[in-house]
Amino acid sequence: MDTMFVNLGPQHPSTHGVLRMGLTLAGEVITKAVPDIGYLHRGTEKLMEARSYAQCVVLTDRWDYCSAMPNNLAFCLSAEKLLGTQVPPRAQTLRVVMCELNRIASHLIFLGTYGIDIGAFTPFLYVFREREMILDLYEALCGARLTYNYIRLGGVASDVDADWISKCREFLEFFKPRVDEYDTLLSFNPIFLARTKEVGLISQSAAVSWGLSGPNLRGSGVSYDVRKSEPYCGYEAYDFDVPVGEHGSCWDRYFCRVQEMRQSVRIVEQALAKLPEGELSAKVPKIPKPPPGEAYAHVEASRGDLGIFLVSDGGAAPYRIHVRAPCFINLAILQDILVGKKVADVIAVLGSFDIVLGEVDR
Amino acid sequence: MIAYFRLVFRSTWAFVEGLWITLRYLFKPSVTVQYPTEKLVPYDAFRGALLFDPATCIACSLCAKACPSACIALESQVHPETKKRVPKVEWYTLDLGKCNFCGLCQEACPTKPKSVWHGLDYEFAFSNRDEMVRCWKPGFPLAGRVWDPKKKAFRDLESHIPVRDVEARR
Ligand code: SF4
Ligand code: SF4
């Protein structure tokens, strides 16, 4: 049969012009898929080599702009390892609260946009209502809704007050029944199930060998979560589960995220309940100059295992920095699993990976 | 046959359930704000357009050093007789086109009250790149002016859409 080459995408809202898929089709069936990334070319890693560590935090906000707090955190953890800084307990707890809220906000975007990918528009409006509430909390706290620059070297930038905490609790109470609504609207909707349940299957071994992480890995049934395996910021003290899927289908990946939102609510509740008093930040020089050496720290960001490798030559700016961006690595498996699928499934599979291209082409 | 009707029933039921949720929201107050006739006032901490006050600035350059995007340039005044620099600013420019609203300049500024700070203004649209470079000089109005590279002079903003319903906060 003759084959045809088709350029598919950019299609997902967060791929805005950066991800193109070169598909070779035999009729409706894909015989070859090449995800072609590029065109963003911001070169953050290079830019950071000319900036002080405190200024680098600002740039980290731009990788995964749907959930910037874990980016801040990963960089700060790595830099703090270099500097040997001890972060005070209050700052640790606030970091956890902010990152978990950000996970909810990020998964909400996924939920809405994935609904759109499959053809359900209404949930998109609902998820933004809830996301806005989280962004309002952020705005009240640190002044920004998208690029927070909140987690800083040695601690966090500003403190929460009683008013903020009560607003945050209000949000959690408002949010909990909403997740059940999403289950009704999407998760157990027969049309949604038909489009996602048996589609885009990734076996455990494939998921591991392609280096997937985050909900994409856990959807295949591998219970790996950095928060459990290498706890940071005191995650070992929180009581939460790591949801895993069964078959590694699009639906499993989707449902992992829904369940993770419930777990994040649990973590935030625990963190707010035990928020210790004390300092917001350790003493860090204005322009820190860590001793020569290297450090690696990773966190469980909303989209997977985000790692930062830092090399210092003793100067005020990092000598070299490398980002292990989960979205970039999650994308590679597409060329494997799309082969043999129908065109209509490409959208469902791509959407289920929840990519943010800011992180793919840093 | 039974399976077919079961599928029809299940799908219809899911449809009704979904509609029921939508219907419930239909009678709740809307969360949409009718922008621009209705506006939200940001929280106090909001990092909006930067403002600058040449009267309090001591021309220490800490803000320019803190800025990761190199948006800020300034020059201090020179004493007419001794020709020595004095802690007063001669001019101060800030490139809003490069600014990423991180707040580091505001944090670095040592004066009280801050000489450079984020206002609450979030409505600023420009039609050309030059207008994003705002300049402040002692005696100029708070919102700053534009340096016109062709005429080598300052001029008022023309195409900037200044909607200043939100009060400047310090
Ligand atoms: S807000 Fe940040 S980027 Fe903008 S001028 Fe201040 S320091 Fe520079
Ligand atoms: S604005 Fe503040 S930090 Fe910048 S030069 Fe003036 S006094 Fe110094």
Side-chain angles (χ1 to χ4, degrees):
Chain A
M1 191 192 227
D2 283 348
T3 56
M4 181 167 62
F5 182 80
V6 173
N7 283 309
L8 188 134
Q11 156 267 337
H12 192 264
S14 65
T15 60
H16 53 66
V18 198
L19 178 73
R20 175 179 72 93
M21 296 240 273
L23 301 177
T24 312
L25 305 177
E28 215 189 323
V29 178
I30 295 155
T31 56
K32 193 173 173 217
V34 183
D36 180 11
I37 55 158
Y39 313 119
L40 215 53
H41 299 322
R42 295 178 299 177
T44 0
E45 290 166 1
K46 196 73 196 161
L47 287 172
M48 283 180 171
E49 291 170 15
R51 276 163 182 77
S52 75
Y53 287 84
Q55 291 177 339
C56 286
V57 180
V58 177
L59 295 177
T60 64
D61 281 330
R62 272 89 190 154
W63 298 332
D64 179 353
Y65 37 74
C66 291
S67 108
M69 286 288 181
N71 303 355
N72 283 185
L73 180 60
F75 181 83
C76 289
L77 286 180
S78 186
E80 280 155 11
K81 263 192 192 171
L82 273 180
L83 288 161
T85 313
Q86 286 296 328
V87 180
R90 189 175 176 87
Q92 301 256 30
T93 316
L94 284 178
R95 284 173 170 193
V96 169
V97 173
M98 299 314 152
C99 286
E100 292 307 322
L101 282 178
N102 220 174
R103 191 184 314 279
I104 297 177
S106 163
H107 286 351
L108 282 174
I109 288 202
F110 163 77
L111 212 93
T113 53
Y114 196 47
I116 288 197
D117 285 347
I118 302 294
F121 182 74
T122 320
F124 186 71
L125 302 175
Y126 293 162
V127 297
F128 270 90
R129 175 194 56 198
E130 269 102 70
R131 186 178 149 89
E132 281 299 301
M133 296 170 92
I134 299 182
L135 297 193
D136 278 346
L137 288 172
Y138 282 157
E139 187 189 319
L141 181 70
C142 67
R145 302 174 73 82
L146 198 70
T147 51
Y148 310 113
N149 188 21
Y150 174 70
I151 296 172
R152 306 280 178 86
L153 294 179
V156 292
S158 50
D159 202 359
V160 296
D161 51 16
D163 187 37
W164 193 93
I165 294 177
S166 71
K167 268 200 195 133
C168 186
R169 288 222 171 91
E170 241 169 62
F171 162 74
L172 295 177
E173 288 312 314
F174 175 83
F175 180 65
K176 276 188 260 178
R178 298 288 103 75
V179 190
D180 301 331
E181 256 170 32
Y182 297 138
D183 278 349
T184 315
L185 280 174
L186 272 184
S187 312
F188 299 113
N189 179 301
I191 304 166
F192 184 75
L193 284 171
R195 286 289 310 272
T196 55
K197 191 92 197 193
E198 309 278 311
V199 176
L201 297 178
I202 302 175
S203 67
Q204 281 199 11
S205 59
V208 173
S209 55
W210 281 93
L212 297 192
S213 55
N216 297 337
L217 174 70
R218 294 192 284 271
S220 297
V222 185
S223 176
Y224 170 77
D225 189 311
V226 184
R227 291 173 293 175
K228 288 277 187 199
S229 64
E230 261 182 79
Y232 51 91
C233 293
Y235 263 111
E236 61 275 13
Y238 297 91
D239 180 25
F240 68 101
D241 303 321
V242 179
V244 291
E246 279 172 41
H247 314 290
S249 66
C250 291
W251 189 82
D252 281 309
R253 291 190 279 279
Y254 160 88
F255 202 59
C256 263
R257 295 194 176 93
V258 176
Q259 299 287 53
E260 271 183 22
M261 293 201 286
R262 294 196 166 96
Q263 298 302 326
S264 291
V265 170
R266 275 177 75 189
I267 299 175
V268 176
E269 277 174 344
Q270 291 171 41
L272 288 183
K274 68 165 201 187
L275 191 64
E277 293 296 324
E279 292 285 301
L280 267 191
S281 176
K283 289 260 173 298
V284 178
K286 271 225 169 87
I287 300 185
K289 288 188 179 160
E294 43 185 65
Y296 180 77
H298 59 162
V299 301
E300 186 66 35
S302 313
R303 287 173 179 73
D305 181 352
L306 173 70
I308 310 285
F309 179 64
L310 268 177
V311 183
S312 161
D313 60 355
Y319 173 72
R320 178 79 178 96
I321 165 166
H322 179 71
V323 186
R324 185 231 183 258
C327 287
F328 177 66
I329 294 163
N330 287 349
L331 262 186
I333 197 174
L334 281 180
Q335 52 193 292
D336 192 40
I337 59 164
L338 285 182
V339 174
K341 302 274 157 31
K342 300 263 172 64
V343 177
D345 290 340
V346 176
I347 311 298
V349 173
L350 182 60
S352 76
F353 276 92
D354 188 21
I355 44 171
V356 161
L357 266 294
E359 201 173 72
V360 173
D361 192 14
R362 304 169 297 281
Chain B
M1 198 64 174
I2 291 179
Y4 175 75
F5 280 110
R6 196 177 286 151
L7 181 70
V8 170
F9 178 76
R10 268 220 330 264
S11 306
T12 317
W13 181 242
F15 181 68
V16 171
E17 265 186 326
L19 274 185
W20 173 237
I21 292 181
T22 317
L23 197 74
R24 281 210 321 262
Y25 280 116
L26 205 60
F27 300 103
K28 289 196 179 158
S30 121
V31 295
T32 318
V33 174
Q34 295 299 333
Y35 182 82
T37 41
E38 245 182 287
K39 284 193 185 89
L40 292 174
V41 177
Y43 289 92
D44 263 355
F46 182 66
R47 305 202 295 251
L50 280 153
L51 293 171
F52 175 76
D53 182 5
T56 49
C57 176
I58 53 170
C60 65
S61 287
L62 285 181
C63 52
K65 281 193 194 111
C67 177
S69 322
C71 317
I72 300 174
L74 69 143
E75 206 165 294
S76 55
Q77 290 178 9
V78 176
H79 197 277
E81 281 154 27
T82 58
K83 300 285 179 229
K84 282 219 178 99
R85 287 171 184 276
V86 289
K88 281 268 148 221
V89 73
E90 171 78 29
W91 54 260
Y92 186 96
T93 64
L94 206 154
D95 190 343
L96 283 176
K98 282 197 220 161
C99 176
N100 59 50
F101 303 91
C102 62
L104 291 183
C105 52
Q106 175 183 326
E107 275 169 39
C109 184
T111 63
K112 276 197 186 111
K114 302 273 182 198
S115 306
V116 60
W117 75 100
H118 285 280
L120 291 183
D121 188 11
Y122 54 90
E123 300 174 303
F124 41 107
F126 305 92
S127 65
N128 69 56
R129 183 72 184 75
D130 292 343
E131 296 198 343
M132 296 178 182
V133 185
R134 291 195 178 174
C135 185
W136 284 267
K137 278 176 78 150
F140 270 25
L142 195 64
R145 296 199 176 175
V146 196
W147 171 252
D148 190 334
K150 281 188 209 115
K151 293 195 185 119
K152 301 244 182 287
F154 296 108
R155 62 174 167 77
D156 283 323
L157 297 156
E158 281 161 18
S159 48
H160 171 214
I161 306 169
V163 193
R164 301 211 152 269
D165 289 1
V166 182
E167 248 178 69
R169 165 214 48 169
R170 185 82 177 258

